[in-house]
């Protein structure tokens, strides 16, 4: 094989959150896969409300599922052994090896007191036990794949968390993987960030920092070269690539208000409609919104305009309103009522105007919610738009269902504690439909092309729009194009020979220490 030798690897770290680690990791995976290298992604610990269900019924971050697709392999729990799903500013559900094991406060997770114990592996915040688990997962991947490309989290220079780190230098040290630090030059201060990130690490950690990669550069690269030369002189480390800024570069996001396939919503350029009208979709930006990637497939359709909203008046001109998933169903319901959005949804339903609820959004549309698990609010009245009663169970439903609706085949995935008792209406996937109000627990159903087109035809008819779905839009093909674009960025703008040497041989020997180092 003319690629990375078996068991090699690399850690992609970042100077900050959202520096581009996910993009670079996915791009390297796609580039290697195109070279015939059997490669897998890995993120030891992820914090995200956007998750996915693997074929074995494990819940992992959607970013890692996307990276697995970039690598052309099936995602597994090994690729994201620890997933934290925030339920508030201070606590998260802990998903370990694909299964939820409890809630824990940030202080409890990172080694202090507080929060309920989510299982032996996390009892007392003993991160060394977690490090053993994630290291074992990484070693299993290394035993199966030629190369493993790891994604870090936040910054490796978060010195307050270094003692308990299992996702940045902790995993790099355990695996002896070289580290490339990505910096977002669009934010400014990238050279200072590269230098400062390195200089705040211990000598042992610094010995694995192989070099840097500039992301989101606009302009003539030759203007950047003097800075890269000075950085090399100061640090003894190379810059492995300068990736250009790319509008609409979309992947499945960890968090943030984005339509991931098309980039930020405000940057989306909607293709002209096939029919006479466009179709306007408003997505209620509920608290703790999860799996908002469900609307990506709508945004990919020519003539469909998708935007996130948080005010009742913004629903007025919408042809379809989507109430998305959430990690806080009762909190989202309260938020909808406080902002007048609940009343606006009730008016829409009375007027026969389309509303779609997905997962937590489906639960909100029901008659009654009984919740002693997520919010512990007990019995709560829903909006009453669908004849459904919800009972929250401690056991989480994780599934990959297939079925049919509107005369078309549909596939999706389920991630929810709420169990629905459907008491009437017309069957719709696992939920129901009453008039122009639909509800289902199935995430990802709109990625099924035939079903999406049939659903949009129903919406257009109910909304009185002369909108016609494009007959040939393939969401899977569009996603593949995006992943190939990520691979192109690496192949065309990174030093791929040097990256391959890092993956095969590890960090260069004799890298200089930058004072002061970790305190």
């Amino acid at each position: 094989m003319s690629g990375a030798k078996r068991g090699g690897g690399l850690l992609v770290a970042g100077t900050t959150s959202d520096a581009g680690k996910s993009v670079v990791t996915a791009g390297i995976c796609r580039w290697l896969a195109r070279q015939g290298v059997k490669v897998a992604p890995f993120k030891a610990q992820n914090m995200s409300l956007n998750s996915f269900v693997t074929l074995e019924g494990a819940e992992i971050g959607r970013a890692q599922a996307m990276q697995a697709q970039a690598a052309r392999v099936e995602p597994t729990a090994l690729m994201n052994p620890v997933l934290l799903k925030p339920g508030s500013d201070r606590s998260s559900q802990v998903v370990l090896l694909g299964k939820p094991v409890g809630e824990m406060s940030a202080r409890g997770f990172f080694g202090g007191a507080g929060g309920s114990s989510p299982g032996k592996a996390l009892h007392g915040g003993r991160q060394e036990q977690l490090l053993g688990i994630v290291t074992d997962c990484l070693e299993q991947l290394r035993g199966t794949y030629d190369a493993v490309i790891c994604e870090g989290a936040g910054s490796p220079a978060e010195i307050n968390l270094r003692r308990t780190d299992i996702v940045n230098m902790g995993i790099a040290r355990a695996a002896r993987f070289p580290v490339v630090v990505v910096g977002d030059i669009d934010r400014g201060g990238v050279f200072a960030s590269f230098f400062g990130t390195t200089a705040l690490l211990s000598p042992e950690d610094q010995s694995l920092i192989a070099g840097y990669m500039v992301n989101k550069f606009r302009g003539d690269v030759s203007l950047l070269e003097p800075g890269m030369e000075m950085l090399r002189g100061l640090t003894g480390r190379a810059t492995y690539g300068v990736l250009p800024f790319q509008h609409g570069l979309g992947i499945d996001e960890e968090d943030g208000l984005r339509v991931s396939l098309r980039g930020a919503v405000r940057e989306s350029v909607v293709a002209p409609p096939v029919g006479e009208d466009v179709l306007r979709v408003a997505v209620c930006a509920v608290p703790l919104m999860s799996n908002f990637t469900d609307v990506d497939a709508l945004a990919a359709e020519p003539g469909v305009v998708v935007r996130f909203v948080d005010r009742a008046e913004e629903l007025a001109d919408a042809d379809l309103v989507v109430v998305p998933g959430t990690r806080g169903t009762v909190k989202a319901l309260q938020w909808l009522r406080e902002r007048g959005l609940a009343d606006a949804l009730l008016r829409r339903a009375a007027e026969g105007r389309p509303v779609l609820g997905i997962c937590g959004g489906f639960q909100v549309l029901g008659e009654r919610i009984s919740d002693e698990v997520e919010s512990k609010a007990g019995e709560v009245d829903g909006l009453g738009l669908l004849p459904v009663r919800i009972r929250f169970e401690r056991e989480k439903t994780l599934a990959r269902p297939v079925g049919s609706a509107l005369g078309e085949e549909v596939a999706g995935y389920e991630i929810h504690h709420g169990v629905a008792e459907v008491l009437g209406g017309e069957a719709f996937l696992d939920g129901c439909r009453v008039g122009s109000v639909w509800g289902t627990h199935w995430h990802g159903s709109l990625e099924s092309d035939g079903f999406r087109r049939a659903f949009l035809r129903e919406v257009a008819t109910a909304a009185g729009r002369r909108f016609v779905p494009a007959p040939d839009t393939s969401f899977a093909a569009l996603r593949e194009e995006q992943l190939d674009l990520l691979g192109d960025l690496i192949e065309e703008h990174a030093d791929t020979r040097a990256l391959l040497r890092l993956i095969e041989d590890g960090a260069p020997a004799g890298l200089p220490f930058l004072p002061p180092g970790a305190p």
Side-chain angles (χ1 to χ4, degrees), residues 61-138:
R62 274 198 68 97
Q64 280 60 66
M66 175 275 303
Q67 290 162 354
Q69 187 174 352
R72 296 176 175 155
V73 298
E74 190 65 38
T76 73
L78 294 176
M79 297 173 185
N80 180 206
V82 181
L83 174 64
L84 306 179
K85 302 192 73 174
S88 70
D89 290 342
R90 297 194 175 188
S91 68
S92 295
Q93 182 181 69
V94 181
V95 179
L96 185 63
L97 296 175
K99 303 296 180 184
V101 293
E103 297 278 335
M104 180 165 273
S105 70
R107 184 178 178 187
F109 186 80
F110 289 109
S116 60
S117 172
K120 288 184 179 179
L122 303 180
H123 183 67
R126 291 199 291 260
Q127 297 294 99
E128 66 274 10
Q129 295 181 3
L130 273 183
L131 181 60
I133 291 171
V134 301
T135 301
D136 180 64
C137 291
L138 178 56

Side-chain angles (χ1 to χ4, degrees), residues 245-382:
F245 187 96
Q246 183 100 29
H247 281 284
L249 185 61
I251 61 169
D252 288 347
E253 299 288 335
E254 290 186 356
D255 281 300
L257 290 182
R258 291 178 181 269
V259 174
S260 65
L261 186 68
R262 303 180 66 95
V265 177
R266 62 182 177 276
E267 293 179 359
S268 297
V269 178
V270 179
V274 174
E276 296 179 43
D277 289 345
V278 298
L279 207 63
R280 296 172 176 83
V281 179
V283 184
C284 297
V286 297
L288 299 173
M289 184 167 51
S290 62
N291 287 70
F292 50 81
T293 47
D294 284 331
V295 299
D296 288 1
L298 295 179
E301 281 285 346
V304 176
V305 182
V306 177
R307 67 184 188 274
F308 290 91
V309 303
D310 59 5
R311 296 182 300 179
E313 55 268 30
E314 293 178 290
L315 303 189
D317 67 343
D319 301 306
L320 169 67
V321 174
V322 177
V323 187
T326 172
R327 248 280 276 158
T329 298
V330 172
K331 182 182 289 187
L333 182 58
Q334 181 182 3
W335 181 87
L336 289 168
R337 285 179 167 137
E338 289 173 348
R339 289 180 168 262
L341 287 159
D343 288 338
L345 289 171
L346 292 171
R347 287 193 298 271
R348 287 186 67 87
E351 295 165 0
R353 302 176 67 197
V355 176
L356 171 65
I358 303 175
C359 199
F362 166 41
Q363 296 167 5
V364 161
L365 300 181
E367 297 174 349
R368 192 89 173 147
I369 298 169
S370 178
D371 181 13
E372 298 292 349
V373 176
E374 189 176 76
S375 68
K376 299 180 173 59
E379 298 288 324
V380 178
D381 287 333

Side-chain angles (χ1 to χ4, degrees), residues 25 29 38-46 52 54 56 58-83 97-98 133-134 136-138 140-142 144-145 147-151 167:
T25 300
C29 284
K38 189 178 180 184
V39 57
F42 179 79
K43 186 163 185 173
Q45 175 185 305
N46 197 354
F52 182 75
T54 68
E56 78 262 36
E59 184 179 8
I60 66 171
R62 274 198 68 97
Q64 280 60 66
M66 175 275 303
Q67 290 162 354
Q69 187 174 352
R72 296 176 175 155
V73 298
E74 190 65 38
T76 73
L78 294 176
M79 297 173 185
N80 180 206
V82 181
L83 174 64
L97 296 175
I133 291 171
V134 301
D136 180 64
C137 291
L138 178 56
Q140 289 185 60
L141 291 175
R142 294 182 73 180
T144 305
Y145 293 90
V148 181
I149 308 302
C150 304
E151 180 187 343
V167 66

